[in-house]
Amino acid sequence: MSTIADYYDLTRIRPEVQAVLNRLNEMGPTFAARAKAIDVEASFPVENYKDLAAEGFLTLTVPTEFGGHGFSLGEYAMCGAEIGKYCGATALTFNMHNSSMMWSRFMYELPNLTDEDRAAFAPLRERQFRRAVAEQGIYSQPISEAGQNWTSKPAQTNCRKVDGGWVINGFKKFASLAGYCDYYSIVCTEHFEGQEPRHEDTMIFVVPKEAKGLTVQGSWDPLGMRGTNSRDLVLKDVFVSEDDLMMPRGLFIKTLPHWPHMMATLSPTYMGLAQGAYDFTVAYLRGEVEGQPAADRRMFGTKRITVGKMYARLANMRALWWQAFMEAQGMPSKAQVLRMYAAQYNVMEGVQEIAALAIRTCGGQSMLKSMPLERMYRDSRCGALMLPYTSEIMEDYLSVLTLYDMDELDKAPGDEGGARSSLWRGESGSLKGLR
């Protein structure tokens, strides 16, 4: 397999980050060996999580003062991509856990928070960090709800104030880690009598897996990413208290629109998956795949040309993707957001192209389920479908931001139905309900 020196400028990566990346590559073959059974059985990668927890890698973005690694978003993204080289389902669910840590970390640091905001936020995030560090707690971050883009309308899952806290009712689709995590980060809309639900009233709570009224339902039999165990999560009269708040009232919508890169954190998995498909193709053509005949297939010119094309596409993807994540920050510029959207689009489309070329180049053997390319090919198709930044949405957002000035976005054709509510809109925020 490739090493980080094959595609990164190591002079730009801190030694402590390199150490984690190298350790993940040492662990990778073990993850890869488990990946087949995880895929066939659609079982959660429990053992991989035990290994990650043992290394302390469940706290990559937790600030150092709380016992974490204190990695930036870009440094975390590189770690997710290294895991994705070996097991896509592990990398994808690893992101769901780390996203909960990221939101508590990076949103707290935004300059548009007041001293009062931070004073209320501080004890809540400290509680989540302690659970992740001391308890090695695993978080799930289910946001999707059947039938709508959660960024277009207020979340259908709702909470109502009661004595001592709130009661949550609702439903989450594609709840990765369902039944295997320790805590669920639940985004919901606070409802008030006589008032229509609003984005401004978005709340986020931490719900323990054993909470009364919380159930995991349905089966999980998708095309790819079968080990994510993304079943349905149902909340019926789930009680939460002030201590279960992940952010104080009003802060989720005040902060999320100004950190658009945090909605692109599925892409590290697929960047790694693209690298894994390329690495396997090179090893296969060199006759270096364990358990396969040591046949050197490099004499065929068509195969050499295809691998050259794969490398050119892969290098192009990674260069843009790495720049977009290494410059990620709150309150980004328009140029930074455009690069991020372009990186998201290129990775989600490019991984499928590379996996398809890998299958074609390696030939009939690669179609067998005993070979990892068959799984990688199926996994690679899933990324372009995942909200909030699907490939179709990225095409639209790129077309709007490149052709319209910021003060023209509200009048840009195609926005009549509110489908662009997750579109970054500069200092005014990205959600229509706030404008």
Side-chain angles (χ1 to χ4, degrees):
M1 293 290 281
S2 57
T3 68
I4 58 173
D6 293 324
Y7 38 78
Y8 292 132
D9 176 358
L10 300 187
T11 65
R12 297 172 60 190
I13 301 176
R14 295 187 295 138
E16 51 266 51
V17 178
Q18 292 187 41
V20 172
L21 296 174
N22 289 329
R23 180 61 184 140
L24 287 170
N25 274 293
E26 292 171 358
M27 299 164 68
T30 300
F31 291 177
R34 295 168 178 161
K36 177 185 174 182
I38 289 169
D39 176 68
V40 171
E41 300 165 6
S43 58
F44 190 74
V46 174
E47 296 304 315
N48 292 351
Y49 268 79
K50 290 180 180 178
D51 292 345
L52 290 166
E55 297 286 340
F57 293 163
L58 298 180
T59 61
L60 292 178
T61 58
V62 173
T64 55
E65 61 265 32
F66 295 102
H69 289 73
F71 281 13
S72 69
L73 185 58
E75 291 168 341
Y76 157 75
M78 287 189 284
C79 296
E82 293 310 298
I83 297 172
K85 284 164 54 174
Y86 303 97
C87 180
T90 299
L92 202 59
T93 53
F94 183 71
N95 175 71
M96 305 305 177
H97 164 79
N98 279 280
S99 288
S100 293
M101 300 299 107
M102 289 181 219
W103 287 10
S104 292
R105 157 88 179 280
F106 297 123
M107 292 188 189
Y108 177 85
E109 298 170 355
L110 277 172
N112 64 329
L113 266 63
T114 65
D115 291 341
E116 292 75 15
D117 290 336
R118 288 196 180 85
F121 198 164
L124 303 179
R125 76 188 202 124
E126 182 177 354
R127 185 175 297 115
Q128 311 320 324
F129 294 154
R130 183 174 65 250
R131 286 168 169 168
V133 174
E135 302 174 21
Q136 295 186 335
I138 298 173
Y139 281 67
S140 170
Q141 195 180 52
I143 298 179
S144 296
E145 298 176 339
Q148 78 170 38
N149 179 350
W150 62 271
T151 59
S152 298
K153 298 178 181 179
Q156 298 176 87
T157 301
N158 68 84
C159 65
R160 292 182 182 273
K161 194 76 175 72
V162 296
D163 289 343
W166 292 261
V167 170
I168 303 176
N169 283 280
F171 170 87
K172 296 295 181 180
K173 192 73 175 174
F174 302 126
S176 298
L177 295 90
Y180 290 93
C181 64
D182 300 298
Y183 303 98
Y184 295 91
S185 302
I186 300 297
V187 175
C188 56
T189 305
E190 186 169 13
H191 282 198
F192 301 92
E193 292 297 329
Q195 179 178 302
E196 286 295 313
R198 308 182 307 164
H199 273 122
E200 294 96 317
D201 299 316
T202 301
M203 304 277 277
I204 181 167
F205 294 95
V206 178
V207 179
K209 64 179 179 181
E210 66 274 7
K212 183 179 179 181
L214 187 150
T215 57
V216 177
Q217 298 181 1
S219 59
W220 182 241
D221 191 22
L223 168 72
M225 293 298 178
R226 293 171 51 80
T228 62
N229 208 64
S230 304
R231 295 190 287 159
D232 299 339
L233 190 69
V234 178
L235 301 98
K236 183 174 177 58
D237 295 331
V238 174
F239 175 79
V240 288
S241 70
E242 293 276 354
D243 288 343
D244 296 313
L245 276 169
M246 196 167 177
M247 296 184 192
R249 267 177 167 166
L251 289 201
F252 183 82
I253 293 302
K254 185 176 181 178
T255 54
L256 183 63
H258 300 298
W259 249 115
H261 290 71
M262 267 197 281
M263 290 191 281
T265 56
L266 300 180
S267 65
T269 294
Y270 293 93
M271 187 68 249
L273 183 58
Q275 186 70 51
Y278 170 81
D279 288 351
F280 177 86
T281 302
V282 170
Y284 185 77
L285 297 183
R286 290 173 59 89
E288 296 173 349
V289 173
E290 186 176 351
Q292 296 294 314
D296 190 336
R297 299 170 176 85
R298 292 174 292 175
M299 76 288 293
F300 300 108
T302 52
K303 295 187 183 298
R304 294 198 303 270
I305 290 171
T306 300
V307 174
K309 290 180 179 178
M310 290 172 66
Y311 180 82
R313 185 73 171 97
L314 184 67
N316 179 297
M317 286 164 52
R318 190 178 291 272
L320 176 59
W321 174 82
W322 193 37
Q323 178 177 352
F325 270 94
M326 293 305 285
E327 68 184 11
Q329 64 181 51
M331 305 291 186
S333 68
K334 182 177 180 178
Q336 289 172 325
V337 173
L338 276 168
R339 283 192 288 272
M340 180 268 289
Y341 285 162
Q344 171 81 7
Y345 179 77
N346 273 278
V347 168
M348 295 310 194
E349 292 298 295
V351 63
Q352 214 332 258
E353 295 170 16
I354 287 172
L357 287 172
I359 288 276
R360 192 188 79 177
T361 304
C362 292
Q365 285 283 109
S366 64
M367 295 189 298
L368 302 177
K369 286 187 178 294
S370 58
M371 301 278 273
L373 272 187
E374 188 270 346
R375 180 188 74 254
M376 292 179 176
Y377 180 78
R378 287 184 288 104
D379 285 353
S380 71
R381 183 66 281 174
C382 299
L385 318 177
M386 294 182 174
L387 291 169
Y389 288 165
T390 69
S391 287
E392 290 176 338
I393 289 174
M394 290 297 90
E395 289 173 341
D396 182 48
Y397 286 8
L398 285 165
S399 71
V400 172
L401 281 184
T402 52
L403 288 172
Y404 291 85
D405 293 333
M406 297 304 296
D407 59 0
E408 297 178 299
L409 292 182
D410 293 348
K411 299 178 182 178
D415 202 15
E416 296 82 3
R420 292 187 185 140
S421 289
S422 63
L423 173 65
W424 173 83
R425 296 172 188 265
E427 293 182 1
S428 62
S430 64
L431 296 170
K432 285 188 163 184
L434 301 183
R435 300 203 307 281

